[in-house]
Amino acid sequence: MNLIGLRTIKTAIAVTLSILVARLFNFEYPFFVAMTALISMDKTMGDSFKTGRNRIMGTLFGALIGISLSYIDRGNAFLCGLGMIILIELCNIFNLKGSITIGGIVMIAIMVHTDKTPIFYGFHRTLDTLIGASLSFVVNATVFPYSTVKRLDRIAIGLWDETEKCVMDLRNHKCVDTEEIEAKLTAIEGELNLYNHEFLFKNKKQYVNELTEHYKMAKRLLLELKVANTVDPTAAKDVYEYHIEKAIEIYNSYIEQQVIESNIQEIK
């Protein structure tokens, strides 16, 4: 049986807190607060922030457009269509395409669905969304946060060990299995992309940059090995050895650069 995932636990906590907060302040529709918390929960804090921001801005735009048009002729189908055009163009201008759907729902609800006054409904939907998104972000940032130095350490050590093993085998003229290092590189590529977009991890930016340089080196080394593996060592020995030596040279140059940078840091 698989253990319950951390994201599952965080989602449950965010939804629970959102309902408790909504009931504490006697909100009319706790559902909307919980729904936003649920949708805003994502893998990283940065992703949660982006999703929550989209919902907040979409709700706000939709409410403002719906309220404005409702005072012209509430329930008018043609005005609803006009409202959607305005909303979509507004979201495109501010690069908030993820806000269009929720904005449209709020705008249409104000125009044709709810019996509440437009301002009352728009204000409360915006408030519900703001609280739900905020709770989801706080939970994601404080409960088992994805971006940790410990996690990044494990990734860095795994790649480093595989790179060293690969170069050692080359120096001992052993056959190198490129599949393992290729798998490590594929895994780390996604992780680096997440960390580079994780704004709460900016204080560790130098650490991420160092790992990125190692990743680039390992990728270049792997390329030389893959080319060498396409060459028949008996028929084209010089070409084969060139790519093997090039792979080792890439590794050595990287190590030398690391030593130089380390010495500079010590001097500083």
Side-chain angles (χ1 to χ4, degrees), residues 163-209:
T163 307
E164 277 195 324
K165 179 178 179 297
C166 176
V167 173
M168 188 176 297
D169 288 342
L170 290 177
R171 287 171 174 166
N172 293 328
H173 306 288
K174 293 182 179 179
C175 181
V176 175
D177 180 11
T178 60
E179 289 187 3
E180 191 62 33
I181 191 170
E182 191 167 12
K184 295 284 185 183
L185 286 171
T186 300
I188 204 171
E189 186 174 3
E191 295 292 336
L192 285 173
N193 184 57
L194 287 173
Y195 280 102
N196 282 327
H197 290 85
E198 190 62 276
F199 60 89
L200 288 183
F201 204 68
K202 295 301 183 186
N203 62 324
K204 301 299 179 184
K205 193 68 176 177
Q206 182 179 351
Y207 188 67
V208 176
N209 289 340

Side-chain angles (χ1 to χ4, degrees), residues 11-23 33 37 131 135 138-139:
T11 301
I13 293 173
V15 169
T16 302
L17 287 176
S18 65
I19 294 174
L20 290 174
V21 169
R23 286 178 175 171
V33 185
I131 292 175
L135 286 171
V138 170
V139 170

Side-chain angles (χ1 to χ4, degrees), residues 56-212:
I56 292 169
M57 295 306 297
T59 302
L60 181 60
F61 287 162
L64 291 174
I65 295 170
I67 291 169
S68 300
L69 295 178
S70 68
Y71 283 107
I72 299 174
D73 184 10
R74 192 174 189 184
N76 187 297
F78 294 102
L79 285 180
C80 288
L82 175 62
M84 282 306 306
I85 293 174
I86 296 172
L87 174 67
I88 292 171
E89 289 302 314
L90 194 60
C91 289
N92 286 335
I93 290 172
F94 289 97
N95 195 27
L96 294 168
K97 293 182 179 180
S99 302
I100 294 173
T101 302
I102 184 62
I105 292 172
V106 172
M107 187 271 294
I108 294 169
I110 290 174
M111 285 291 287
V112 303
H113 186 63
T114 180
D115 56 352
K116 305 294 183 181
T117 59
I119 293 179
F120 177 88
Y121 186 83
F123 171 77
H124 280 278
R125 288 300 73 75
T126 303
L127 182 62
D128 293 342
T129 303
L130 178 61
I131 292 175
S134 299
L135 286 171
S136 183
F137 177 79
V138 170
V139 170
N140 210 356
T142 57
V143 181
F144 308 119
Y146 183 85
S147 300
T148 61
V149 175
K150 186 176 180 180
R151 179 185 179 87
L152 205 57
D153 268 337
R154 289 200 302 269
I155 298 169
I157 291 170
L159 179 61
W160 181 253
D161 289 345
E162 200 57 44
T163 307
E164 277 195 324
K165 179 178 179 297
C166 176
V167 173
M168 188 176 297
D169 288 342
L170 290 177
R171 287 171 174 166
N172 293 328
H173 306 288
K174 293 182 179 179
C175 181
V176 175
D177 180 11
T178 60
E179 289 187 3
E180 191 62 33
I181 191 170
E182 191 167 12
K184 295 284 185 183
L185 286 171
T186 300
I188 204 171
E189 186 174 3
E191 295 292 336
L192 285 173
N193 184 57
L194 287 173
Y195 280 102
N196 282 327
H197 290 85
E198 190 62 276
F199 60 89
L200 288 183
F201 204 68
K202 295 301 183 186
N203 62 324
K204 301 299 179 184
K205 193 68 176 177
Q206 182 179 351
Y207 188 67
V208 176
N209 289 340
E210 290 173 1
L211 182 53
T212 301

